């Protein structure tokens, strides 16, 4: 069972990477959030791995953070949610936002993720709400305490979406800026988020 990979990033796409370790290339499926934070091909990369074994396939799913891997393993325990849908959920909302949506029973937001319908969203809330509250407690309440749910953040995300950026890209950029500058104004947050997206 592969749980961790560290090697050279051979190539990357929005849904998968190839990591070279000791002359062997491992294809790893990833959420968009992991892709967004990866370096360029040729750089060193370390990924937390979930090895999914079926009769006809052995598939590796990779994550930059332990939180994302933990969320993935919880999501695939939900009835009707397989690994690919779990990856779609993590690609649709950054990890901390996904936790907020589930613990807050925000079915509408969860249903906005491609591939996740209302019934699946309701099952996610029903089966994971209490488990994710435990995860939040283990992080010392950091997820609940961040200001990511503020009106300013929502306004900046809407502005970025209106400018043509995909919502997951906008949310990821805004969340990362807010971690550095939790009290940023709308203008500052928008400017820094644009800079973060453009690289």
């Amino acid at each position: 069972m592969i749980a961790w990979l560290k090697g050279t990033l051979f190539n990357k796409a929005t849904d998968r990477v190839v990591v070279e370790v000791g002359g062997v290339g491992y294809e790893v499926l990833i959420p968009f959030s992991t892709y967004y934070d990866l370096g360029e091909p040729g750089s060193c990369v370390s990924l937390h791995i979930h090895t999914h074994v079926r009769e006809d396939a052995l598939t590796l799913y990779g994550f930059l953070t332990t939180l994302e891997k933990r969320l993935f393993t919880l999501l695939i325990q939900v009835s009707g949610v397989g690994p690919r849908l779990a990856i779609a959920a993590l690609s649709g909302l950054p990890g901390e936002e996904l936790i907020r949506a589930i613990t807050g029973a925000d079915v509408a937001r969860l249903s906005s993720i491609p591939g996740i319908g209302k019934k699946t969203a309701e099952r996610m809330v029903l089966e994971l709400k209490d488990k994710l509250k435990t995860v939040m407690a283990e992080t010392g309440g950091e997820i609940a305490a961040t200001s990511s749910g503020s009106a300013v953040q929502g306004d900046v995300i809407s502005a970025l979406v209106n400018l043509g950026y995909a919502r997951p890209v906008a949310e990821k950029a805004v969340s990362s800026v807010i971690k550095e500058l939790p009290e940023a104004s709308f203008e500052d947050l928008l400017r820094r988020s644009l800079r973060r997206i453009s690289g």
Side-chain angles (χ1 to χ4, degrees), residues 67 70-71 74 99 128-143:
L67 176 64
R70 183 142 186 214
L71 281 172
L74 287 172
I99 289 177
L128 296 182
K129 191 173 183 179
D130 291 337
K131 291 179 182 178
L132 289 177
K133 284 181 179 176
T134 302
V135 172
M136 288 171 66
E138 289 171 358
T139 63
E142 291 175 11
I143 293 171

Side-chain angles (χ1 to χ4, degrees), residues 18-173:
V18 175
V19 180
E20 182 184 351
V21 183
V24 178
Y26 293 88
E27 183 178 65
V28 184
L29 303 184
I30 57 171
F32 188 79
S33 51
T34 291
Y35 168 82
Y36 185 80
D37 286 337
L38 284 173
E40 293 305 312
S43 62
C44 182
V45 63
S46 300
L47 294 172
H48 300 275
I49 301 293
H50 173 86
T51 305
H52 188 71
V53 182
R54 293 188 328 208
E55 286 183 12
D56 59 343
L58 188 151
T59 309
L60 303 180
Y61 294 90
F63 313 91
L64 278 179
T65 67
T66 54
L67 176 64
E68 285 187 328
K69 182 181 178 182
R70 183 142 186 214
L71 281 172
F72 177 84
T73 57
L74 287 172
L75 284 166
I76 61 176
Q77 294 171 22
V78 175
S79 175
V81 177
R84 289 189 180 273
L85 194 54
I87 286 286
L90 287 165
S91 294
L93 289 176
E96 295 176 0
E97 295 294 320
L98 186 60
I99 289 177
R100 285 192 199 91
I102 293 172
T103 56
D106 193 344
V107 171
R109 187 150 196 219
L110 293 169
S111 301
S112 70
I113 299 170
I116 296 180
K118 185 179 178 184
K119 288 184 179 179
T120 301
E122 288 171 345
R123 278 199 303 272
M124 287 166 64
V125 170
L126 181 66
E127 297 182 32
L128 296 182
K129 191 173 183 179
D130 291 337
K131 291 179 182 178
L132 289 177
K133 284 181 179 176
T134 302
V135 172
M136 288 171 66
E138 289 171 358
T139 63
E142 291 175 11
I143 293 171
T146 59
S147 59
S148 297
S150 70
V152 172
Q153 183 200 15
D155 291 344
V156 172
I157 290 171
S158 294
L160 290 169
V161 170
N162 290 337
L163 287 171
Y165 295 102
R167 178 167 285 274
V169 174
E171 289 179 341
K172 181 75 176 176

